[in-house]
Amino acid sequence: MVRTKRKRIINSVLTYGILGLALIWTIFPIYWMVKSSLSLNSEMYVARPNLFSKVITFDHYIDLFFNTTFLHSIWNSLIVASITTVICLTIGVLGAYAMTRLSYPGRNLFRSSIIVSYLMPTAVLFVPMYVFISSLGFYDSKYALLIIYPTFVVPYCCYMLISYFKAIPYALEEAALIDGCNRLQTLWYIVIPIALPGIAVVATFAFTMAWNEYLYAMIMTTSNAQKTATVAISAFKFADSAIWGRIMSASVVCSLPVTILYIAAQSLLISGKYEGSVK
Amino acid sequence: MEKNKWKLLCMVLGSAMMFSMAGCSVQNSENVVTTAASAVTTEKRADMQATDNQEPQERGELIFWDKSEYVEGYNTMMKAKVDAFAQEHNVDVNYVIIPAADMKQKLLAAIEAGNAPDLIVGDDTLVGQFVSMNQIADCADVFAAIDFTDNAKILGTFNGKEFLVPLAFMAPGMYLRMDKWLETGMDIPKTWEDLRKGAQIINDPANGFYGMGFAMGASGGGDAEGFCRTIILDWGGIPVDENGHVTVNSPETLEALKFIADLYEDGLIPPDAITGDDSWNNSAYLAGTVGVICNSGSVVSSMKAENPELLENTQIIAYPAGPKGTAYTLGGANVFGVFETGKNTETAKEFIKYYFADLDNYNNMIEAMGAMWQPVVKGVDDTEFWKNPVNAGWLANSKSTYKTYYPAPSDERATVSFTNQLCVKAVQEIVVNKTDPQEALNQLEAEFNKIYK
Amino acid sequence: MKPRKYSQQMIDKWLGLLLMVPIVLIIFGITGIPFVRAVYLSFTNKVVGLKEEFIGLENYRSLFTDKIYWKSLNNTVIYTVGCIVAKLLAGLLLALLLNQNLRGKAFFRTVLLIPWALPGMVAATTWRWMYDSTYGIINSMLLKTGMIELPIPWLSNPGITLLSTMIVNVWRGIPFFMFSLLGALQTLDKQVFEAAYVDGAGAFKQFIYITLPGISSVLGISALLSTIWTFNDFENVFLITGGGPVYSSSVISTYTYDLAFIQNSFGRALAVAVSVIPLMLIMIMISRKIINTDINQ
């Protein structure tokens, strides 16, 4: 598109300006967290702290990796979050496709009632949930989370995917159906490729939701072998004291896998995928 | 484009397969991946793929949820004792460490689901709440078998029976920044009024230093309520008397509440004290931003590990007295709680007796805990450790410490009124909502009456 | 091409019902059973560990005169509405900006996402540390640069505490909107924009008539989900102010926690939780109408 040079310059300045501000707003607490994880204990909390520390130390990370089972907790989180994402994405894609393209009795009812999962705050729901899940035989197990997490990740996946699928014009699938494809083939060959940016978003967020969850993980896992990362971080706090070095370094490490996932997902955000396909 | 779709799918499926395969192998080696501080000995009731590994002969079982302590040595040593017990008594012990913030929720959920542990360690107000939920077993037999001090026995009595088996006292101490106090030119404060005068001199909010760092938050801890009750008692007020009558609405209590409110309103305490939890005053002192706090010995342990210089500048002083001349110290203790609803109540009691049979080990644990622990049994006072003047103060405090809800009788009404932080909330009404102090006191009386009806 | 035995409609019907089965199991089975029990318990005087007694509407009746309940409800509405508006507008703006061909696009997109990657308690703990009036960096910097004279009482002034928690919620939540809307913007067909440009429509008109309708369903759903999550947000408020001095920043979720685990009245806590369900349903319906999405097309 041709635009006047002036317009382009204004656009650039505004864009980068706003993005720059957003960057500072976003980065600042993260910077503080990382800086604290690299600070000496004596500089951890002081009155009127400075923006930069004079000394950097990796002691807290070394302490975290060698004196605690935190890395194992990260591993547990990885297992739980990955499997949850796969399960929920599969159910979500298939379910969302059904709820947008197929017609069957009760479809509207299903679409509206999925929200029921979110009506009660976890802060109290977890007690009856724990009673129910442990009656199924789970005790101190991270695998119990694979049953619980879908209850709040699947509705998210369904709703987001329904809206992404709806934005895709039906004409393409109609053409395919006329040509002899069945429903699942149209889903696989047409809908999914076009909705791939949306699916990538949903997948990364589903993973994030499962990864960051604290309350159910705390209730379902007790021993160090089963704990997930978020629960492990809270173990560094005691009745009235805390090992801040470990908390800050664990927080940084805990945020890494999801960040790496986001970077990987960027490559799937491609634009304008079906240009000209309607014609 | 096709390539990208396949890339995504392969990535996702591949990772899932890899993780689930790795997950299986990790699970088998899970028991190996542990550190000394927190290993799980056996996981009999592990997960849904519970392989049937019953031993041929009769083995007892014990599920022990221990309190997580800042001093890792505590958990290590407790676990060692647990392992020894398991060996000698042919018992499978499932020993886990629960962080403080999670303990109550996990316990409540477990009780509801019927898989509560057999034995826990927690502070007396926490475990006391479970007594009133009919969860804790009567331990009179344990008390008979162990030589507890009189003060310890008083602590363990609840509802007239001996439910809470003391593990160690957590006496409070008053931490004073000597380097700052010397600037005032005053002697060590003997009364609260002295302390206030000195604090006013060293108070310097513009540079981030406050004379006092007393806890005043209502976020569910014990520090703030303990502080308020101390002042009330020192002023001659009595929240609930020994017969269970609510006598909080008195001129003495009014003066006490006004005193605390004035400290805050005069800017002697950092404003954030109002929303802090139990760790707030620790952090404030460790950050060097306050001149005096009241706390258990946990701050000493923190300073040793993180800020030895601050430790040198700190002196633990005796609690100052109020206008009536009395100086109360209110404190709690770590106690064992034996769950009646667990399946192995007798085994749990056996363990407690076993634990206290080894006084040397108990002594070692006390010394490892530093100033945080004081003995509850007779026969361990006379050691080098306690002769050291730095430590002697803590021991003395533990012998003269009253229960946090003194002088009310030990029952659930007392623990509930304490854990609901009624007195702190009254002070907050005065300083935050600018309620008239007498009005706030009337409300406080009403709240107490709701519990003590 | 083989002749079809069954009509497309019949295949659709059975396939649709089949694909609903896992959803039904998870949402109505696994969530439903504890949910029903929780609703039942709200009509009792349940204390954990003791047997409950049915007391009918007693818990609910007591809520009418409970000042803290109404304060919490008020705070929750302010918290939810304020946070959603902020997150939505900021997220939309950033998504639009990032949809262009920029230099360093991937960098911006990744970094701006990180707040959402942090666990809630990590974000809350870090911000709480930053807010402190003595050792917090925010006050420290404001004081050092001379912008203020006294530290701002983020955590102690009852008028500000709710705002402090809202800031953190917004900080964490903007990436959710940004990324979701970015995904939606990416699925829009560039050719439609080109055609509009040729027809003489400027950037603003294109936004209103092409972009907005195109992403409306995603916008609506993101707003809906975020509304529910913000409404039930617990860790954030609890870890930063604990409900604020004298309940000034108390929200419904922290109040239910207080009732259940500090005051030990589980029945009353559940009554509070159940009592706001109608409100949530109303908010859901309103947000759907406003954004004009109908998932029940």
Side-chain angles (χ1 to χ4, degrees):
Chain A
M1 283 196 264
V2 175
R3 277 163 152 193
T4 63
K5 191 151 188 235
R6 215 176 67 122
K7 263 197 187 167
R8 260 189 288 148
I9 293 179
I10 296 179
N11 193 44
S12 282
V13 167
L14 269 181
T15 304
Y16 282 106
I18 297 179
L19 284 177
L21 283 174
L23 210 60
I24 298 177
W25 151 265
T26 301
I27 294 269
F28 189 68
I30 300 170
Y31 164 74
W32 193 248
M33 190 175 80
V34 174
K35 173 202 179 273
S36 302
S37 72
L38 296 171
S39 305
L40 294 168
N41 269 332
S42 55
E43 295 200 23
M44 196 62 92
Y45 24 91
V46 284
R48 305 285 181 263
N50 287 313
L51 208 44
F52 302 103
S53 19
K54 301 180 204 112
V55 188
I56 292 192
T57 169
F58 288 98
D59 282 350
H60 302 307
Y61 288 95
I62 297 176
D63 178 34
L64 185 72
F65 293 150
F66 291 107
N67 294 338
T68 69
T69 54
F70 188 69
L71 282 181
H72 185 69
S73 305
I74 291 273
W75 177 250
N76 286 340
S77 278
L78 271 174
I79 297 179
V80 170
S82 314
I83 301 182
T84 302
T85 305
V86 171
I87 295 176
C88 296
L89 205 55
T90 314
I91 298 180
V93 166
L94 291 171
Y97 183 70
M99 285 188 271
T100 48
R101 300 302 196 222
L102 306 176
S103 90
Y104 47 91
R107 184 183 80 162
N108 289 347
L109 185 63
F110 279 115
R111 277 208 290 213
S112 323
S113 56
I114 296 180
I115 208 81
V116 104
S117 270
Y118 292 139
L119 290 181
M120 184 154 291
T122 317
V124 278
L125 186 63
F126 77 88
V127 175
M129 178 68 85
Y130 177 79
V131 174
F132 174 54
I133 298 287
S134 57
S135 71
L136 296 177
F138 290 96
Y139 177 81
D140 185 25
S141 161
K142 60 181 179 276
Y143 296 104
L145 299 174
L146 294 176
I147 301 186
I148 300 180
Y149 283 177
T151 64
F152 57 85
V153 180
V154 164
Y156 162 75
C157 291
C158 284
Y159 273 144
M160 294 301 284
L161 288 169
I162 286 176
S163 56
Y164 285 128
F165 286 172
K166 267 185 24 173
I168 301 173
Y170 190 49
L172 298 168
E173 296 160 69
E174 244 177 347
L177 283 171
I178 293 174
D179 278 349
C181 291
N182 67 32
R183 283 293 190 186
L184 293 177
Q185 283 172 322
T186 57
L187 172 65
W188 182 253
Y189 288 111
I190 298 181
V191 179
I192 288 186
I194 297 175
L196 207 53
I199 295 180
V201 171
V202 172
T204 49
F205 278 173
F207 186 89
T208 310
M209 286 170 77
W211 181 271
N212 287 341
E213 203 279 332
Y214 172 72
L215 198 45
Y216 283 125
M218 180 267 283
I219 278 294
M220 290 294 153
T221 62
T222 312
S223 60
N224 272 0
Q226 298 294 323
K227 281 188 195 171
T228 57
T230 44
V231 183
I233 295 181
S234 86
F236 297 136
K237 283 216 195 112
F238 307 93
D240 60 350
S241 35
I243 307 182
W244 285 105
R246 284 186 185 171
I247 294 178
M248 286 293 136
S249 53
S251 301
V252 171
V253 174
C254 188
S255 314
L256 284 179
V258 182
T259 312
I260 294 175
L261 183 67
Y262 285 174
I263 297 177
Q266 294 293 345
S267 63
L268 287 164
L269 285 182
I270 312 164
S271 55
K273 300 251 303 306
Y274 62 103
E275 290 183 54
S277 44
V278 179
K279 295 198 194 123
Chain B
M1 187 199 54
E2 282 280 325
K3 231 171 37 169
N4 281 319
K5 185 188 65 195
W6 279 114
K7 214 163 74 166
L8 166 68
L9 190 63
C10 290
M11 208 167 73
V12 161
L13 281 182
S15 339
M17 279 195 321
M18 191 180 79
F19 285 134
S20 31
M21 283 196 308
C24 290
S25 63
V26 163
Q27 199 193 326
N28 292 333
S29 59
E30 242 157 33
N31 286 331
V32 178
V33 180
T34 51
T35 60
S38 45
V40 175
T41 45
T42 54
E43 289 194 57
K44 284 291 163 193
R45 299 157 70 173
D47 13 285
M48 60 186 190
Q49 296 146 0
T51 50
D52 197 337
N53 43 4
Q54 315 287 350
E55 309 287 308
Q57 78 264 42
E58 253 325 296
R59 277 181 79 101
E61 233 200 324
L62 181 67
I63 302 175
F64 182 0
W65 285 11
D66 197 4
K67 179 184 182 191
S68 172
E69 285 285 2
Y70 176 83
V71 177
E72 254 178 87
Y74 162 76
N75 291 111
T76 319
M77 291 166 110
M78 184 59 94
K79 174 148 196 317
K81 210 72 190 116
V82 160
D83 286 342
F85 177 75
Q87 279 268 31
E88 290 176 30
H89 288 239
N90 201 22
V91 175
D92 281 327
V93 185
N94 188 351
Y95 174 85
V96 276
I97 304 176
I98 312 278
D102 306 340
M103 181 64 111
K104 186 158 186 198
Q105 284 152 286
K106 287 187 79 83
L107 274 175
L108 288 179
I111 292 171
E112 261 306 282
N115 50 21
D118 302 306
L119 182 65
I120 61 169
V121 168
D123 59 42
D124 58 316
T125 34
L126 172 73
V127 185
Q129 290 175 59
F130 290 102
V131 174
S132 38
M133 293 178 208
N134 297 341
Q135 301 294 316
I136 307 287
D138 186 348
C139 285
D141 46 348
V142 180
F143 273 77
I146 303 176
D147 197 12
F148 286 115
T149 63
D150 294 328
N151 220 12
K153 285 196 193 147
I154 296 175
L155 190 100
T157 312
F158 201 84
N159 272 347
K161 297 213 194 122
E162 289 166 326
F163 285 106
L164 313 172
V165 184
L167 173 57
F169 279 116
M170 293 192 296
M174 184 162 278
Y175 296 72
L176 187 65
R177 279 284 297 273
M178 273 319 280
D179 55 331
K180 288 282 184 179
W181 188 260
L182 287 171
E183 291 172 20
T184 68
M186 293 170 66
D187 288 334
I188 302 285
K190 292 272 188 306
T191 66
W192 287 102
E193 194 48 49
D194 287 343
L195 184 61
R196 192 168 77 92
K197 290 208 192 86
Q200 257 163 347
I201 300 176
I202 57 178
N203 203 39
D204 191 8
N207 286 325
F209 185 82
Y210 288 83
M212 298 176 166
F214 298 122
M216 291 177 69
S219 307
D223 283 349
E225 186 69 6
F227 171 64
C228 289
R229 302 263 182 134
T230 306
I231 301 284
I232 293 177
L233 287 170
D234 278 353
W235 257 244
I238 298 179
V240 178
D241 69 14
E242 54 273 357
N243 297 320
H245 295 138
V246 175
T247 49
V248 69
N249 202 344
S250 64
E252 289 88 7
T253 314
L254 184 65
E255 287 308 307
L257 292 180
K258 280 199 202 156
F259 179 76
I260 304 174
D262 283 344
L263 291 178
Y264 186 83
E265 282 167 354
D266 285 347
L268 291 172
I269 301 181
D272 293 342
I274 290 276
T275 45
D277 59 7
D278 263 5
S279 68
W280 177 83
N281 61 343
N282 294 49
S283 310
Y285 192 79
L286 287 166
T289 56
V290 296
V292 59
I293 60 168
C294 296
N295 209 60
S296 71
S298 55
V299 184
V300 174
S301 309
S302 298
M303 286 193 285
K304 275 191 204 155
E306 296 172 23
N307 202 342
E309 199 186 308
L310 185 60
L311 186 54
E312 313 243 321
N313 285 329
T314 301
Q315 185 161 328
I316 314 290
I317 61 173
Y319 270 59
K324 306 279 182 194
T326 51
Y328 283 89
T329 44
L330 304 179
N334 275 334
V335 298
F336 283 106
V338 176
F339 271 77
E340 195 160 59
T341 48
K343 300 180 190 73
N344 305 298
T345 316
E346 284 314 310
T347 321
K349 292 185 182 177
E350 279 306 311
F351 175 74
I352 301 177
K353 293 186 211 164
Y354 177 83
Y355 176 78
F356 277 111
D358 187 355
L359 282 185
D360 279 336
N361 183 53
Y362 186 59
N363 199 39
N364 288 342
M365 287 181 78
I366 290 181
E367 295 192 11
M369 289 297 274
M372 284 173 73
W373 268 27
Q374 297 84 37
V376 288
V377 289
K378 298 185 188 151
V380 276
D381 300 10
D382 203 19
T383 58
E384 282 307 308
F385 181 76
W386 292 120
K387 294 210 176 83
N388 185 336
V390 170
N391 301 321
W394 296 99
L395 184 65
N397 273 357
S398 79
K399 294 190 175 167
S400 60
T401 300
Y402 291 93
K403 281 188 148 178
T404 47
Y405 38 81
Y406 179 83
S410 290
D411 57 20
E412 59 253 28
R413 298 172 304 177
T415 41
V416 167
S417 56
F418 189 84
T419 45
N420 283 2
Q421 301 182 277
L422 298 180
C423 298
V424 176
K425 289 183 181 162
V427 174
Q428 287 188 350
E429 279 288 336
I430 301 175
V431 303
V432 176
N433 286 348
K434 310 291 184 218
T435 314
D436 169 62
Q438 183 60 56
E439 185 50 45
L441 185 52
N442 294 342
Q443 285 175 21
L444 178 59
E445 186 183 27
E447 291 290 329
F448 265 106
N449 277 327
K450 271 193 221 163
I451 298 175
Y452 275 89
K453 56 180 179 300
Chain C
M1 202 178 90
K2 63 177 194 268
R4 291 189 184 271
K5 268 212 209 146
Y6 304 100
S7 72
Q8 185 62 43
Q9 274 164 324
M10 270 189 72
I11 300 178
D12 280 0
K13 192 172 84 158
W14 289 113
L15 184 61
L17 287 174
L18 178 68
L19 294 179
M20 290 297 103
V21 168
I23 295 182
V24 166
L25 275 177
I26 291 174
I27 292 174
F28 297 104
I30 302 178
T31 315
I33 294 176
F35 185 84
V36 167
R37 172 123 179 105
V39 173
Y40 165 68
L41 285 177
S42 72
F43 293 103
T44 69
N45 63 355
K46 179 82 178 146
V47 171
V48 173
L50 301 176
K51 188 89 183 77
E52 70 269 10
E53 285 166 0
F54 190 79
I55 55 171
L57 291 171
E58 185 52 46
N59 284 334
Y60 292 93
R61 241 178 273 145
S62 71
L63 292 179
F64 279 106
T65 48
D66 187 346
K67 278 191 305 186
I68 303 175
Y69 173 72
W70 292 107
K71 176 99 181 121
S72 307
L73 198 55
N74 195 35
N75 282 347
T76 313
V77 172
I78 297 175
Y79 183 82
T80 308
V81 172
C83 289
I84 292 294
V85 168
K87 288 189 283 194
L88 195 151
L89 293 177
L92 184 58
L93 176 64
L94 290 175
L96 287 169
L97 291 177
L98 288 178
N99 195 28
Q100 306 166 64
N101 235 324
L102 295 170
R103 272 207 299 212
K105 199 163 54 173
F107 169 74
F108 279 114
R109 284 178 182 176
T110 313
V111 172
L112 290 177
L113 251 188
I114 297 184
W116 188 251
L118 296 182
M121 40 172 278
V122 167
T125 314
T126 308
W127 272 92
R128 190 192 180 307
W129 208 352
M130 296 194 332
Y131 273 141
D132 191 279
S133 51
T134 43
Y135 50 81
I137 185 70
I138 296 180
N139 277 322
S140 174
M141 285 200 355
L142 290 174
L143 284 166
K144 283 189 182 165
T145 55
M147 288 210 258
I148 55 174
E149 296 230 330
L150 287 173
I152 300 179
W154 298 102
L155 301 172
S156 44
N157 184 318
I160 303 184
T161 47
L162 190 64
L163 179 67
S164 308
T165 58
M166 284 169 72
I167 292 177
V168 183
N169 181 291
V170 170
W171 180 80
R172 265 198 88 217
I174 292 180
F176 171 70
F177 277 96
M178 184 186 88
F179 212 29
S180 305
L181 293 173
L182 194 54
L185 288 172
Q186 303 269 314
T187 54
L188 294 179
D189 188 2
K190 281 245 161 55
Q191 298 195 316
V192 182
F193 285 98
E194 286 181 17
Y197 181 76
V198 166
D199 279 349
F204 188 66
K205 275 225 176 86
Q206 287 177 29
F207 178 71
I208 300 284
Y209 292 110
I210 306 176
T211 314
L212 270 187
I215 59 171
S216 68
S217 50
V218 175
L219 190 65
I221 281 298
S222 305
L224 176 69
L225 286 172
S226 191
T227 303
I228 299 175
W229 291 337
T230 309
F231 195 88
N232 281 334
D233 195 6
F234 169 72
E235 279 170 349
N236 207 36
V237 180
F238 185 71
L239 291 173
I240 297 182
T241 58
V246 213
Y247 296 105
S248 59
S249 65
S250 169
V251 290
I252 288 290
S253 52
T254 57
Y255 189 47
T256 51
Y257 178 86
D258 187 63
L259 283 173
F261 300 106
I262 299 185
Q263 301 186 35
N264 289 335
S265 328
F266 204 62
R268 270 196 86 209
L270 288 173
V272 171
V274 172
S275 70
V276 293
I277 290 180
L279 178 61
M280 276 214 279
L281 290 173
I282 293 177
M283 284 178 107
I284 291 171
M285 286 197 287
I286 293 181
S287 67
R288 275 163 62 175
K289 285 231 158 56
I290 291 180
I291 313 288
N292 204 24
T293 60
D294 40 338
I295 50 178
N296 281 338
Q297 217 172 29

